[in-house]
Amino acid sequence: MIKFLDLKKVTELHGNEIHEAAKRVIDGGWYLLGDATRTFEQHYAEYIGTKHCIGVGNGLDALTLIYRAYIEMGVMKEGDEVIVPANTYIASILAVSKNNLVPVLVEPRMDTLEIDDSLIEEHITERTRSIMIVHLYGRCAYTEKIKVLCEKYHLKLIEDNAQAHGCTYGNHQHLPPNIQHPIKTGALGDAAGHSFYPGKNMGALGDGGAVTTNDDKLADIIRALGNYGSGKKYEFRYKGYNSRLDEIQAAILDAKLSYLDNDNRHRQRIAEYYYEHISNPLIHLPLRTDDKQNVYHIFPVFCERRDTFQAFLAERGIQTLIHYPIPPHHQECYKEWNTLQLPITERISREELSLPVSQVMTLEEAAEVVEALNAFTSF
């Protein structure tokens, strides 16, 4: 059987370093807000290219704390609007709602699967304060047009980088005029939320997350908010949360960070094989980008008979997943949106199927997947 993602093998890939990192923390006797967390925060900030990295409990908390911090700063207030992609995992939208801000859904492009920047401006109102882009599937969602809109309307650009660790915008051959060198996702906007859920390209052995930003004040407030609202022990500036990256997870992530680019390159090789060898006209692939701008957290394909297609692959020992079978506006928790018609988002949820791709998958396994895909018929 070819697993969608073999987490046991992923951990074994750098097993010695992971075990050593955990042992150092266990033997050291300090398990929260210690040297391991500070070291990882420094290294990850340097890797992303930002002044600050603040470790938090998970990716949802990272995004939630960003918007809460802006409210504390007076940049936003309850009832303000945040533009978000309609095609995303629910956490992107929950972070907005949890702060009593109003998510405004914008359709994606079918070829890129990311928010359609040509539709954003018509959704901007006098209450709009932010645009959230989601680097979904590991693909860079940033565009120069989005940057221009943020500048024109004085909007905060927030990145959901939960699925795109190591992804970049721009390459040395084709850089926009105002970009001097490729920039990593997580450093493109005013702040970014990162998830280190175990299945991510760089995953912890449990929950974990981080915020990256160049804004000194924002970073200071987020760090306090995640520690009960405290910047100094027993002194509380804000009504905060308990959302902290623990020492063991920080040490494990720091051990894995130096391998991230190589792990992503392997994912890109698997994706390259898929693009070059999938030839079934019943199976549609998203637009191929420069690999630096896609780290292939997920490799999505599309089929009108998706459920039959998935069953066909399962019979041949190939595990697949659907990202995501119910779009946010059809979820029970957002009943007020259930009558919305968002045809592109709905088509994606109806036809999308995610193929196996990981840093431990072999090209031989990729070939087996392709052989099965190309053998699928409509009968």
Side-chain angles (χ1 to χ4, degrees), residues 40-342:
F40 171 69
E41 288 176 339
Q42 177 186 343
H43 289 166
Y44 194 62
E46 291 171 353
Y47 176 81
I48 295 295
T50 55
K51 289 175 65 177
H52 303 283
C53 169
I54 305 99
V56 298
N58 53 67
L60 172 57
D61 283 359
L63 293 171
T64 302
L65 288 165
I66 290 169
Y67 282 108
R68 172 65 186 280
Y70 278 128
I71 291 173
E72 295 289 352
M73 292 167 66
V75 174
M76 300 178 194
K77 64 181 183 301
E78 293 185 4
D80 283 344
E81 295 174 351
V82 177
I83 289 174
V84 295
N87 177 46
T88 187
Y89 183 58
I90 198 74
S92 311
I93 299 170
L94 288 175
V96 177
S97 299
K98 283 167 71 71
N99 282 291
N100 294 317
L101 300 168
V102 180
V104 177
L105 304 181
V106 173
E107 283 266 66
R109 285 174 46 176
M110 192 64 210
D111 57 347
T112 68
L113 313 176
E114 307 294 348
I115 192 168
D116 188 338
D117 60 9
S118 71
L119 301 178
I120 291 175
E121 190 163 20
E122 66 191 64
H123 290 83
I124 294 174
T125 73
E126 61 182 14
R127 294 168 57 194
T128 307
R129 296 292 178 268
S130 172
I131 297 173
M132 182 193 293
I133 56 173
V134 182
H135 304 298
L136 203 65
Y137 314 112
R139 175 190 289 258
C140 181
Y142 178 87
T143 69
E144 287 296 298
K145 186 168 186 176
I146 292 174
K147 177 179 182 290
V148 169
L149 288 172
C150 287
E151 292 173 348
K152 178 179 178 180
Y153 293 100
H154 308 290
L155 307 177
K156 296 296 183 183
L157 178 59
I158 307 305
E159 300 173 76
D160 181 340
N161 200 47
Q163 298 187 3
H165 312 134
C167 186
T168 61
Y169 172 74
N171 59 58
H172 290 288
Q173 288 74 39
H174 303 96
L175 286 173
N178 63 324
I179 301 291
Q180 301 303 312
H181 55 81
I183 300 174
K184 283 194 169 63
T185 54
L188 289 160
D190 294 284
H194 307 251
S195 169
F196 304 122
Y197 182 78
K200 305 299 186 186
N201 288 33
M202 187 178 74
L205 299 190
D207 271 324
V211 174
T212 53
T213 184
N214 287 315
D215 187 323
D216 296 342
K217 185 176 182 181
L218 185 74
D220 181 60
I221 294 174
I222 289 171
R223 192 175 294 281
L225 282 170
N227 188 34
Y228 298 96
S230 174
K232 183 178 180 181
K233 194 168 185 179
Y234 301 129
E235 295 182 11
F236 303 93
R237 287 182 284 166
Y238 313 103
K239 297 174 183 176
Y241 306 81
N242 176 14
S243 181
R244 302 173 294 196
L245 182 65
D246 73 65
E247 288 283 281
I248 288 180
Q249 301 303 341
I252 289 168
L253 289 166
D254 197 54
K256 297 176 80 171
L257 179 57
S258 61
Y259 298 102
L260 177 58
D261 287 342
N262 281 335
D263 288 349
N264 283 341
R265 277 192 285 272
H266 187 79
R267 286 173 173 265
Q268 289 161 347
R269 284 192 287 271
I270 298 296
E272 179 182 15
Y273 188 90
Y274 283 157
Y275 270 110
E276 293 180 354
H277 293 88
I278 294 173
S279 58
N280 190 331
L282 298 174
I283 312 303
H284 306 286
L285 279 63
L287 181 70
R288 186 175 180 179
T289 64
D290 178 276
D291 275 348
K292 295 290 185 181
Q293 299 188 71
N294 195 336
V295 293
Y296 297 101
H297 172 62
I298 292 166
F299 193 98
V301 297
F302 298 87
C303 180
E304 291 182 3
R305 300 180 66 240
R306 190 262 313 282
D307 295 344
T308 303
F309 177 42
Q310 185 176 36
F312 176 86
L313 294 177
E315 289 173 1
R316 283 150 182 79
I318 297 167
Q319 186 182 45
T320 57
L321 294 179
I322 298 169
H323 294 91
Y324 300 95
I326 305 174
H329 69 287
H330 283 171
Q331 295 289 348
E332 186 177 355
C333 63
Y334 286 108
K335 291 186 179 72
E336 64 273 25
W337 290 342
N338 287 174
T339 58
L340 286 179
Q341 294 183 350
L342 298 169

Side-chain angles (χ1 to χ4, degrees), residues 24-36:
R24 281 196 304 272
V25 174
I26 293 167
D27 292 346
W30 193 282
Y31 307 121
L32 277 172
L33 302 179
D35 289 341

